[in-house]
Amino acid sequence: LIIFSPLVYLFGTYTLLIVQVVAVVFGGIGVYQFFKKIKPKHQLIPIFATVYFILSSECLGRFHLTITV
């Protein structure tokens, strides 16, 4: 996120939070497409893999929704 840190001066304090959320969403889309391609007959596996990716990203500290005042 060091590359995106100058955006704070342009758009405000919530910019890096929004960048993190967008990065996790795009990662989830990639996970969904990957599992849909390798398991085309199973419709639930891509959904479960995407949910697991998003939850693990949040729980393991790669994705924070903490706001400091």
Side-chain angles (χ1 to χ4, degrees), residues 36-56:
K36 189 174 179 182
K37 186 174 182 178
I38 64 170
K39 297 285 187 182
K41 294 181 182 179
H42 302 285
Q43 296 178 356
L44 290 178
I45 290 177
I47 295 171
F48 288 144
T50 304
V51 169
Y52 179 77
F53 172 78
I54 292 173
L55 291 178
S56 67

Side-chain angles (χ1 to χ4, degrees), residues 3-50:
I3 297 170
F4 299 111
S5 62
L7 295 176
V8 172
Y9 297 115
L10 295 174
F11 301 115
T13 57
Y14 293 104
T15 304
L16 295 180
L17 178 65
I18 293 168
V19 168
Q20 286 179 339
V21 169
V22 169
V24 170
V25 167
F26 279 125
I29 291 170
V31 167
Y32 179 80
Q33 291 177 349
F34 174 75
F35 278 97
K36 189 174 179 182
K37 186 174 182 178
I38 64 170
K39 297 285 187 182
K41 294 181 182 179
H42 302 285
Q43 296 178 356
L44 290 178
I45 290 177
I47 295 171
F48 288 144
T50 304

